[in-house]
Amino acid sequence: MKWLKKNRNIFVFLPLLVPTMASGQDSVEKTPTLSLKYFSSDQNIPYILVQSRYKVGRKFEPVKGVTVLFYLDSVAPSTKITDKATTNEFGEAIAALPPALKNTWDASDKHKFIAEAFGNNEFDGLEADIEINKAKLSLDTSSADGVKTVSVTVTQLENGKWEPVKAVELRIGIQRMESILKIGEEDTYTTDSAGKVNTEFKINNLPGDKKGNLVLVASVEDNDQLGNLKVEKTVPWGVAENPVNNFNERSLFATRGKSPAWLLFMAYGIIGIVWGTLIYLIFQIFKIRKLGTETSS
Amino acid sequence: MENSIILNPEKITADLYPKKFGKAGKIWTVILIAVCAIGLFAYIRQLNKGLVVTNMRDYVSWGIYISNFVFFVAISLVGSLITAIFRLANVEWSTPLTRIAEIIAVSAIVFASIIIIVDMGRPERFMNLFIYGRLQSPIIWDVVVISTYFFISLLLLYLPLMPDLKILNQDPSKNSRFLNHLYRIGGSFWKGTKEQLKINNKAVTTLCIIIIPVAFCIHTVTSWLFATTYRPGWDSTNFGAYFVSGAFLVGAGGVITAMYVFRKAYHLDKYITDLHFEKMGRIVVMLALLYLYFNVNEYLVPAFKMKKPEEEHLKELFTGSFAPMFWFAILVGMIIPIFILIFKRGRRPLPMFIAGVMIMVGAWFKRYLIVTPTLLHPFLPMHDVPESYKHYFPSWEEWAIAAGSLAGALLIMTFFVRIYPIIPIHETINEKNEMAEKK
């Protein structure tokens, strides 16, 4: 009791434990979820990605092997995007817009994508949808007095016209091997009332390809109205790189005819000495033979 | 005591002259031929249907065949130990054992080469190894070293045999027509003149010098086939010395087993004496302790660190599905033979024979454990392979071929003993004369 009295403040924190414990109990339950994402870029035709996952507590676990049907605008045989797609080990499956739906796609500025799971016990009948405005990114560059500027514009289709979209968060960077490198100090930029972002390209001496080209990338990620948008542009703002290719040089890992000279010298030297000695010994046998024949004659 | 028995040259010749097979010898030979025939049948099936008749798949692509290959290469190393090292070190008591060691070396290296071809999915492409071989590849080093070692072992078998061929050629009535023909081709020119002896001795000494580095190379290069591959259990800088020490042990085990069998079968007690067993026993204890030391290095150091990628492999060996075989190989292949042979009573012929057999059996399983578990636990597991690929147990064809190769090696030795003296007659007579002169 003394201990309890002394540490009575501990009771203040008890209510805080309740939600933690509750969430701990929730984590046992697995709720199947289906979600959709829309992707559009200047490099590919638009496509949608479905994610089949279990919601476990606050986390999501991918579910492999969920079969999904995709529709454009409404669930009907005529609006079917694909026959079916099955999610992979990351719980993902994609479907690109088929040519057959071109007219439906062109007919409206806004579209709804619908995904419907079937044939899977827990996911059967589960639906997900996403509504997007047709939008695009355009990327322009200019260079004056040594200052390089990147300008990105976000526009969306409204009544058949491309209108600027303000307050859209986007990223601008350079495509490297595995990620996108920032070109300035900001992680993200927001479009102004003209749907534009202007920023200075501050990176110098960045290795590019053989001609010094870099790939500039602008992207909008997981926007509620526009989905995922991406645009790329190649600019000659890097340093030309001619990587040293030693493929044709002699090395231990080179192909047959390109063994290192020292290895050839050592190996053939040793083989030559050993086999030379053995051939000498064979001659000795013939010498013994000759001596024996001479003795008997 | 045995060494003090006075033996005249006629008696020695009569004792050591090749003898026809008795009933047991015939049965033994028939069994070996039958096992070889089954192995050949299995190999023909493999040729017709492909390597799919084996249980080797994407994970275990080196199975029982390569284990057998490593075993053969290991046992062949004894030729350099008994013949070359002992001869150069002037170890006189080793004379009766030299030919036993050399024929073990030759027969083992022949089947090491054969089993490699058996492991090839397209054996008709064997010559491509020589035509398009890549000198940077340890496989090519192995091809070069094995063919060189085979040739040296053959010469080392033949050159000391020349004086004995003269003895075999002396009385053709003792031999069949075929054997007389064989002896004439091999040694009718040997007259035993001073010049011939001088050249022969010089050639044998040269071979003894040259075979030691080649022998070390053959097993070191075989170990590098594994050690140059980045896999758990093989990624070791210790492998060369580990393999060479293991090879000396299994080779010495093979020699003591053969010593006992030949001594019993041909009543060679006066030539392969208890003293030979005693001395070989001491050598085997030393080799077993040495190999045990390398095993401690090979397993205890990685186990102490227990790096994540090595963990699964080591746990499988120590406590997992390979544990019974692993502990069997350690106990039977090393620890029990050490306990048998460390005591003087254990270094008598029968306990020595038992220890020799244990060493060889343990050594065979040890090679299997070097090859297979590592292949089952790669650093990066393969995706989308059938569950059966993740386990390995040899098919009957693999067992039959492996058994056939072991029987084939024994068959070479058996026929050799029937045709040539297993203990050098000429050298034994000379040694006895020298001993008599000293007295």
Side-chain angles (χ1 to χ4, degrees), chain A residues 50-65:
Chain A
V50 69
Q51 288 177 307
S52 56
R53 297 178 295 183
Y54 282 127
K55 191 178 179 203
V56 186
R58 293 176 186 174
K59 290 181 180 174
F60 285 96
E61 285 178 3
V63 181
K64 184 185 172 186

Side-chain angles (χ1 to χ4, degrees), chain B residues 284-355:
Chain B
V284 172
V285 170
M286 185 198 74
L287 291 171
L289 284 168
L290 186 69
Y291 190 45
L292 192 64
Y293 164 76
F294 278 111
N295 270 274
V296 170
N297 271 283
E298 240 351 271
Y299 293 108
L300 211 61
V301 176
F304 183 81
K305 291 182 281 188
M306 210 52 116
K307 285 186 282 186
K308 204 70 196 166
E310 300 260 358
E311 189 180 350
E312 194 184 353
H313 168 67
L314 287 170
K315 282 189 174 169
E316 273 289 287
L317 287 178
F318 295 160
T319 52
S321 57
F322 285 103
M325 197 189 285
F326 177 77
W327 294 113
F328 173 84
I330 296 286
L331 283 171
V332 172
M334 281 165 261
I335 292 171
I336 298 174
I338 289 171
F339 276 106
I340 294 175
L341 302 178
I342 208 157
F343 300 105
K344 195 172 170 59
R345 289 180 71 180
R347 293 195 294 271
R348 287 177 306 170
L350 184 61
M352 284 277 289
F353 168 70
I354 295 166

Side-chain angles (χ1 to χ4, degrees), chain A residues 31-279:
Chain A
T31 315
T33 65
L34 212 59
S35 59
L36 273 177
K37 284 184 175 184
Y38 167 78
F39 290 86
S40 174
S41 106
D42 61 334
Q43 308 286 320
N44 312 96
I45 53 168
Y47 68 92
I48 43 171
L49 180 142
V50 69
Q51 288 177 307
S52 56
R53 297 178 295 183
Y54 282 127
K55 191 178 179 203
V56 186
R58 293 176 186 174
K59 290 181 180 174
F60 285 96
E61 285 178 3
V63 181
K64 184 185 172 186
V66 175
T67 309
V68 184
L69 277 176
F70 297 96
Y71 299 93
L72 182 64
D73 293 334
S74 61
V75 178
S78 60
T79 58
K80 203 190 278 180
I81 295 175
T82 53
D83 272 348
K84 61 178 180 180
T86 307
T87 55
N88 59 18
E89 64 264 38
F90 306 108
E92 293 176 350
I94 60 168
L97 276 174
L101 291 175
K102 187 177 182 305
N103 291 337
T104 317
W105 178 250
D106 291 342
S108 173
D109 302 340
K110 287 185 179 184
H111 285 287
K112 188 178 178 186
F113 292 99
I114 302 157
E116 187 183 357
F118 70 96
N120 306 89
N121 287 339
E122 289 169 285
F123 286 81
D124 197 20
L126 213 60
E127 265 192 29
D129 59 54
I130 183 172
E131 203 167 327
I132 55 104
N133 270 36
K134 276 198 236 173
K136 66 178 181 184
L137 288 176
S138 54
L139 197 155
D140 291 312
T141 54
S142 60
S143 186
D145 302 329
V147 179
K148 297 162 191 154
T149 312
V150 180
S151 174
V152 180
T153 313
V154 184
T155 50
Q156 67 178 7
L157 210 57
E158 281 180 25
N159 302 319
K161 285 185 179 174
W162 289 103
E163 299 291 345
V165 191
K166 65 176 182 180
V168 177
E169 195 177 57
L170 54 89
R171 287 173 189 272
I172 304 173
I174 304 158
Q175 184 70 56
R176 306 308 280 172
M177 183 74 85
E178 297 290 340
S179 60
I180 291 173
L181 183 70
K182 291 191 295 185
I183 60 165
E185 280 160 16
E186 291 85 4
D187 285 333
T188 57
Y189 304 85
T190 308
T191 55
D192 57 17
S193 54
K196 274 198 170 191
V197 166
N198 290 306
T199 182
E200 194 182 333
F201 184 87
K202 292 179 180 172
I203 305 173
N204 294 315
N205 302 323
L206 192 71
D209 63 10
K210 282 181 183 175
K211 292 176 182 170
N213 286 333
L214 297 173
V215 178
L216 277 174
V217 179
S219 61
V220 172
E221 289 165 17
D222 292 334
N223 186 289
D224 291 341
Q225 286 182 321
L226 313 175
N228 294 274
L229 307 173
K230 192 177 174 187
V231 66
E232 288 181 12
K233 188 178 182 186
T234 303
V235 286
W237 291 351
V239 178
E241 278 287 303
N242 279 316
V244 180
N245 186 351
N246 59 0
F247 182 76
N248 288 317
E249 287 175 12
R250 292 183 177 279
S251 64
L252 273 174
F253 43 83
T255 49
R256 186 175 68 97
K258 293 164 201 149
S259 320
W262 59 266
L263 181 68
L264 287 174
F265 177 75
M266 272 175 58
Y268 287 128
I270 294 166
I271 294 167
I273 291 167
V274 172
W275 277 93
T277 312
L278 295 180
I279 291 164

Side-chain angles (χ1 to χ4, degrees), chain B residues 12-154:
Chain B
I12 293 173
T13 309
D15 286 346
L16 301 182
Y17 210 86
K19 293 175 182 64
K20 283 183 180 172
F21 289 141
K23 197 179 171 186
K26 282 176 186 165
I27 293 169
W28 167 250
T29 311
V30 168
I31 291 170
L32 290 180
I33 291 171
V35 177
C36 283
I38 295 167
L40 188 67
F41 172 71
Y43 183 57
I44 291 167
R45 264 178 66 82
Q46 184 182 302
L47 276 181
N48 284 335
K49 295 178 188 291
L51 276 173
V52 73
V53 301
T54 71
N55 278 340
M56 289 187 285
R57 295 291 183 267
D58 294 30
Y59 263 83
V60 178
S61 51
W62 286 358
I64 197 174
Y65 294 156
I66 297 297
S67 315
N68 226 14
F69 162 74
V70 181
F71 176 78
F72 278 132
V73 172
I75 206 165
S76 74
L77 216 65
V78 76
S80 68
L81 173 73
I82 306 282
T83 317
I85 297 174
F86 284 8
R87 191 186 282 264
L88 292 175
N90 220 7
V91 180
E92 286 173 1
W93 59 265
S94 70
T95 306
L97 314 182
T98 52
R99 200 160 287 157
I100 295 175
E102 268 315 310
I103 190 58
I104 289 176
V106 169
S107 52
I109 206 72
V110 165
F111 274 89
S113 316
I114 291 173
I115 208 77
I116 276 288
I117 300 170
V118 166
D119 192 55
M120 295 174 78
R122 298 289 299 270
E124 76 277 11
R125 294 181 180 175
F126 176 69
M127 286 311 290
N128 289 356
L129 272 173
F130 297 94
I131 301 167
Y132 305 109
R134 197 171 159 271
L135 201 69
Q136 303 97 306
S137 162
I139 300 265
I140 291 299
W141 308 342
D142 221 27
V143 170
V144 172
V145 167
I146 285 177
S147 43
T148 309
Y149 189 73
F150 168 68
F151 199 70
I152 295 175
S153 299
L154 216 55

